[in-house]
Amino acid sequence: MTDAEERNSEGISSYGRRKKVVRKETRLGLSHGKDEDFGKWYSEVLVNSEMIGYYDISGCYIIRHWAVVIWDIMKEFFDKEIEEMEVEKCMFPLFVTSAVLQKEKTHVAGFEPEVAWVTKAGKSDLDVDLAIRPTSETVIYPYFSKWIRNHHDLPMKVNQWCNVVRWEFSNPMPFIRSREFYWQEGHTAFATKEEADAEVSEILELYRQIYEEFLAVPVIKGKKSELEKFAGALYTCSIEAFIPNTGRGIQGATSHCLGQNFSAKEFFDITFQNEKRRRTVFGRIPGPTIGVMVMVHGDDKGLVLPPKVASQQVIVIPVPYRDANTQEIFDACAATVKTLRKAGIRANVDKRDYHTPGWKYSYWEMKGVPLRIEIGPKDLTNNQVRAVRRDNGAKMDLSMVSLVEQVKELLDKIQESLFDSAKQRRDACIQVARTWDEFVEALGQKKLILAPWCDEEEVEKDVKERTKGDTGAAKTLCTPFDQPEMHEGTKCFASGKLAKKWSYWGRSY
Amino acid sequence: MTDAEERNSEGISSYGRRKKVVRKETRLGLSHGKDEDFGKWYSEVLVNSEMIGYYDISGCYIIRHWAVVIWDIMKEFFDKEIEEMEVEKCMFPLFVTSAVLQKEKTHVAGFEPEVAWVTKAGKSDLDVDLAIRPTSETVIYPYFSKWIRNHHDLPMKVNQWCNVVRWEFSNPMPFIRSREFYWQEGHTAFATKEEADAEVSEILELYRQIYEEFLAVPVIKGKKSELEKFAGALYTCSIEAFIPNTGRGIQGATSHCLGQNFSAKEFFDITFQNEKRRRTVFGRIPGPTIGVMVMVHGDDKGLVLPPKVASQQVIVIPVPYRDANTQEIFDACAATVKTLRKAGIRANVDKRDYHTPGWKYSYWEMKGVPLRIEIGPKDLTNNQVRAVRRDNGAKMDLSMVSLVEQVKELLDKIQESLFDSAKQRRDACIQVARTWDEFVEALGQKKLILAPWCDEEEVEKDVKERTKGDTGAAKTLCTPFDQPEMHEGTKCFASGKLAKKWSYWGRSY
């Protein structure tokens, strides 16, 4: 959906048939239900909650304040953690020469069709075409060889947050599949494989924390199949999320062990004698993160934000009545915000006098603020406020006396119950399939399929071939670290050969 | 200097003639003095202190940890300040279509020869060539018109930290003139000119604080001439720094009032009736910041970092003697770091056992750490440490009893005295010129020239024309807000007409 399409959809949103009256008044309602038309619902939520602005170049989006803040909160957490791991910050250039990009053949093959090329500056042609980084392995590793002069310089660990570009031609989708996107990429080098392996899991655990503890999205930790691993990696680990509405898995973040693929050969040989002992690892948390959170928690009223990442955790709304002292109510709201802020709670008041309280309720529901506090004349009299949870609509009166404690407790509860409820819905989608028929049936029902597998690449290719269709082929999502028991003699669901492991299968983004 | 050149210069640095013995042992010494060859000194300091890595594309640089941390400290300060001003965060796309870029003719003319163009993706030509943003006015303002639906939506304030690209063909220089660079750009819209004017100064004051209070670099606040203002602005304010060694001014940061140039016309007319009252302002702090700091404070031993932006404020170095208890000394160092860190001081210990204390002194001097603490057996006995200031080499013993207080005080003193000393050197360069002859003489002496001026564009053009040469033409740097008294009848130094204002003139980066 480009700019123009968005304007049309806004038109529909304001003047469409469903809940016409409300939307005409508020211009806030969604014209598409989450279960009705998931794709349109998703776009509408992102635009109406002011997370995303559509742009006049397809696949490029404006990330607005409401989303940037979430990104920054994750960044702050991650940066603090990796600082303790002595990871250094860096900012590598946006451009790569074609020669450097070509150095790692198997690696680059995966990106080549999507690389954006700068060929002109002003009116002059450049001597050499420059690629915009689709990822930074070939940009960074040559410099590792310069900077690592002997074993004292190991381990070397660098990390950057940056924009990368992949000119995908399939259907773009904000956060999920965009041509320019933002991510974090960490690149490290160690003397031993043991250290490298440890780093892979340590970083993967941080990614799990971001998804489960910040975004309240349950994920599965596991290893990618040979077919699905990162081009050029020894092995790839990932965390996998699942979107029940579409029955699709989505790779949440990856952590790779590159072995000596990028290091030992042309780069490191130059300066480093003790070869055969360098291992490189890196991890990345990609753009989709926020999109997954929106898809998992959002509802027909709009966005639902987990308190830990919400730019505003509490919105205070004055509810004046005709015969009441309005000023007193506005003052009480301001004082409440001050009290909450002092306690480190991200609170604000909606003091706009040209909107009704009802309009404001809808507005902040659309924006997904976890907790709404209403203050009217009766609340003043009773020295209390009315609190309304965004996630389940529950209403309760909170005494002003212990407001901070109660609000903190409520926010914790909301965070927890968002995760629990998401996990319940995700778990309800998991279906064990032991035979091909069970597999096909479960796939038709949009399940997250757990199946015994012989772990052969040819078999995965065959499954992809046999399931391909309009909605995309099924593939392995991951082999979970947490393996169910495998009874002796269990057969692969697809090949009938002896199964070696349980793996998750499904369609994916 | 590209990659290959850098490797050569490193070779010279290690085996060159000056101070040959020391450098052979330490590989740390600089082969160029600051007063000897400023340009080479600057490059060497950036590389040897590990702030910058040269890259294989000319004009693109690797910003390393030691510099990224400084950038992040400034960012954190600025973000906190503008959050209180209710500025929203945003991330606009990297790409602009040619059509959008062309919308503001006078504006784009200034950038056109330097725009980098993406024309291909994979092997396919794009339908429309895409510019990489050289700045974001034309990217952002069309969306202001969508988001500002009526006066309730004003003021609108957004800010982004991002990379921009200008494919300059003149001599590149890390931080000062690079093809890809990082900056902050804020864009705002107000209902009245008064509010816009206030925003211009408020932001300019934040920039002054960054330079003077964080980087300890003195700057002059003022207004740019009509010739030097931002293409498309009503007026441009700036802070100007000065590099005594080269006698060149450098624009530290700018804050512009765009009037209605970008807003009232094609963009805003669409949705906004009450025209003639929109004013747009924005400010930006550009890449050169860190380079200016390096140039102003650095010396022949390397970098000198102001404590407020130093990634490490204190480095603790164990100084074991042959017959002393080495473990005890290392333990005391670790304990000292712990104490300092607890007090919020960024301290670390250099516990590498394969380098001598002397090597470590040179290493951390090169990296510019403000305060070195040495702990040897005698210090242990006396319950003290030895402290050495990076800025002036002063040595003193500090009792362990009140270590934190003394270190804090010392760091404050270093910060202050770096600024004072830089200001003294800058002020010593200021030369009043009342006639053309005085002006030419001062220019030859690399002065920062304060001259009475008639404020006519033709006269500035004429001065540029008459002074152009190998080292570049002289131009106005700014008209300082802080105006010296102008006696009646004072004549313009260049035209002989009646002078209207005092302006700073000089060569610049």
Side-chain angles (χ1 to χ4, degrees), chain B residues 77-78 81-82 202-210:
Chain B
F77 161 77
F78 190 79
E81 293 289 327
I82 63 172
E202 209 171 334
I203 292 291
L204 198 67
E205 170 57 17
L206 291 181
Y207 294 151
R208 187 201 64 76
Q209 287 176 32
I210 287 180

Side-chain angles (χ1 to χ4, degrees), chain A residues 116-135:
Chain A
W117 292 97
V118 175
T119 63
K120 287 193 304 184
K123 295 201 183 308
S124 327
D125 288 333
L126 295 184
D127 292 340
V128 185
D129 291 354
L130 298 175
I132 301 185
R133 61 182 164 217
T135 176

Side-chain angles (χ1 to χ4, degrees), chain A residues 55 65 72 89 95 115 119 122, chain B residues 55 65 72 89 95 115 119 122:
Chain A
Y55 192 63
H65 185 75
D72 282 355
K89 297 176 176 186
F95 300 116
V115 170
T119 63
Chain B
Y55 192 63
H65 185 75
D72 281 357
K89 297 176 176 187
F95 300 116
V115 170
T119 63

Side-chain angles (χ1 to χ4, degrees), chain A residues 301-481:
Chain A
K301 288 179 174 177
L303 206 59
V304 178
L305 291 176
K308 274 185 94 164
V309 293
S311 163
Q312 296 299 332
Q313 299 172 310
V314 177
I315 184 70
V316 179
I317 295 175
V319 189
Y321 280 78
R322 223 165 273 168
D323 51 352
N325 184 337
T326 304
Q327 190 55 47
E328 208 179 349
I329 289 170
F330 274 78
D331 289 349
C333 288
T336 304
V337 167
K338 213 173 156 189
T339 307
L340 294 174
R341 282 192 182 171
K342 218 184 233 170
I345 296 162
R346 295 187 290 273
N348 214 343
V349 56
D350 187 341
K351 53 187 174 195
R352 292 178 283 184
D353 58 8
Y354 45 90
H355 283 308
T356 63
W359 189 95
K360 292 179 185 177
Y361 298 165
S362 302
Y363 179 82
W364 294 104
E365 278 171 357
M366 171 62 69
K367 289 181 80 84
V369 169
L371 197 65
R372 174 171 90 228
I373 285 181
E374 309 166 3
I375 303 183
K378 225 172 78 186
D379 299 307
L380 280 191
T381 313
N382 298 337
N383 198 33
Q384 67 182 29
V385 302
R386 157 115 322 186
V388 184
R389 282 172 64 160
R390 173 65 181 88
D391 62 326
N392 61 11
K395 296 183 166 103
M396 63 219 84
D397 292 323
L398 308 180
S399 158
M400 283 301 285
V401 180
S402 55
L403 187 68
V404 166
E405 294 70 30
Q406 291 176 88
V407 166
K408 278 190 172 171
E409 206 177 293
L410 265 172
L411 292 175
D412 287 347
K413 259 194 206 155
I414 294 170
Q415 181 80 29
E416 205 183 306
S417 98
L418 278 176
F419 177 79
D420 290 345
S421 140
K423 189 163 183 306
Q424 238 168 43
R425 277 175 284 136
R426 197 271 319 267
D427 288 350
C429 294
I430 297 177
Q431 176 73 52
V432 173
R434 293 171 178 278
T435 65
W436 180 253
D437 287 348
E438 284 175 15
F439 181 83
V440 171
E441 192 190 345
L443 198 64
Q445 292 165 345
K446 299 184 177 175
K447 295 293 187 185
L448 171 54
I449 305 168
L450 184 60
W453 179 37
C454 60
D455 197 15
E456 287 181 14
E457 203 170 317
E458 284 313 307
V459 174
E460 183 170 3
K461 280 185 185 160
D462 184 51
V463 171
K464 274 187 151 177
E465 186 57 36
R466 287 159 75 187
T467 54
K468 75 177 179 194
D470 291 347
T471 46
K475 60 182 186 181
T476 54
L477 303 172
C478 74
T479 293
F481 293 150

